[in-house]
């Protein structure tokens, strides 16, 4: 160990191997947190450390609180969701495009119900909203096109429509968690509710 420090002191000082080791540990911890919390919202730091193959001290060294660990896991999963949603076709008739977006969003939310529950328990609602801002941008153009085409109400602000949409998705996750609705029914319930709520006047979807 002392030989390594002596021979590679310059590299260590510049953050080489040590920084690389730290980065690997962080990546392993975040992935383990996403997996553990994705299975059980009450998963402990010890559970995450065991799955990541590190000690609790190492976890706390990078994430001083469980809330920070949950935050990092949510960021990690949302980055993956963002990449996946890029492949969703949002062209064509706005109502159909919005329905495709909702189904794709629910597909990923439905896989992360436990993580959603952990986030809602550990993180402030403002932080959850901030984390979803990038995803919230995706349906904006679809909603704008729908208003221009007259298939969505132009009395509703776009920002409000986006907020309602994402709150419905999270509300559905909560209802699934309470066993009030079946996961396989959630996407179509959201689609039906949104299209009816956003329709101009009394027109229904």
């Amino acid at each position: 160990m002392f030989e390594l420090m002596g021979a590679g002191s310059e590299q260590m000082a510049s953050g080489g191997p040590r920084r690389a080791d730290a980065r690997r540990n962080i990546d392993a911890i975040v992935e383990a947190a996403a997996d553990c919390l994705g299975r059980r919202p009450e998963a402990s730091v010890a559970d995450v450390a065991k799955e990541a193959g590190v000690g609790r001290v190492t976890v706390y060294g990078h994430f001083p609180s469980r809330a920070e660990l949950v935050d990092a896991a949510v960021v990690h999963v949302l980055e993956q969701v963002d990449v996946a949603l890029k492949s969703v076709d949002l062209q064509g008739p706005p109502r159909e495009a919005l329905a495709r977006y909702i189904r794709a969003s629910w597909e990923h939310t439905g896989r992360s119900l436990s993580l959603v529950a952990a986030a809602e328990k550990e993180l402030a609602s403002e932080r959850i909203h901030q984390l979803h801002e990038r995803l919230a941008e995706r349906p904006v153009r679809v909603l704008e096109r729908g208003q221009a085409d007259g298939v969505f109400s132009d009395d509703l602000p776009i920002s409000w429509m986006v907020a309602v949409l994402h709150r419905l998705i999270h509300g559905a996750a909560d209802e699934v968690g309470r066993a009030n609705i079946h996961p396989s029914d959630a996407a179509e319930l959201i689609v039906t509710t949104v299209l009816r709520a956003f329709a101009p006047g009394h027109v229904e979807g």
Side-chain angles (χ1 to χ4, degrees), residues 8-19:
S9 57
E10 251 181 64
Q11 192 176 22
M12 295 296 283
S14 66
R18 184 173 295 171
R19 182 172 296 174

Side-chain angles (χ1 to χ4, degrees):
M1 181 65 176
F2 290 125
E3 248 180 72
L4 177 62
M5 289 292 289
S9 57
E10 251 181 64
Q11 192 176 22
M12 295 296 283
S14 66
R18 184 173 295 171
R19 182 172 296 174
D21 287 345
R23 184 69 259 170
R24 280 193 294 271
N25 282 341
I26 291 171
D27 290 344
I29 291 166
V30 171
E31 288 183 16
D35 289 343
C36 287
L37 294 168
R39 294 192 299 268
R40 292 189 303 115
E42 69 278 9
S44 67
V45 172
D47 294 329
V48 173
K50 182 178 180 181
E51 181 145 336
V54 300
R56 289 179 61 191
V57 172
T58 300
V59 175
Y60 280 119
H62 296 296
F63 304 98
S65 69
R66 187 173 186 274
E68 291 178 72
L69 184 59
V70 171
D71 190 292
V74 172
V75 169
H76 176 68
V77 170
L78 287 179
E79 285 175 348
Q80 294 178 325
V81 172
D82 186 47
V83 171
L85 289 180
K86 287 179 181 177
S87 64
V88 178
D89 179 15
L90 297 182
Q91 302 304 310
R95 287 165 60 84
E96 295 173 15
L98 186 61
R100 285 193 295 272
Y101 172 82
I102 292 170
R103 293 184 184 109
S105 295
W106 175 255
E107 181 181 350
H108 296 285
T109 301
R111 294 174 185 168
S112 308
L113 294 178
S114 292
L115 181 56
V116 170
E120 291 181 344
K121 183 176 181 180
E122 292 284 350
L123 307 180
S125 58
E126 294 81 4
R127 176 56 177 163
I128 293 176
H129 175 73
Q130 181 185 35
L131 290 172
H132 284 78
E133 280 183 347
R134 183 187 298 178
L135 297 182
E137 295 172 0
R138 293 201 176 281
V140 168
R141 289 185 180 178
V142 176
L143 293 169
E144 289 175 341
R145 286 196 293 110
Q147 286 187 333
D149 291 351
V151 298
F152 295 146
S153 174
D154 57 9
D155 293 334
L156 300 173
I158 295 293
S159 60
W160 171 250
M161 296 168 83
V162 172
V164 167
L165 171 57
H166 286 280
R167 279 170 175 75
L168 271 173
I169 292 173
H170 277 267
D174 186 49
E175 287 299 290
V176 169
R178 296 171 185 270
N180 290 331
I181 60 176
H182 194 277
S184 62
D185 296 330
E188 294 313 311
L189 287 172
I190 301 167
V191 168
T192 300
T193 302
V194 167
L195 294 183
R196 287 179 179 176
F198 292 177
H202 63 278
V203 178
E204 295 185 351

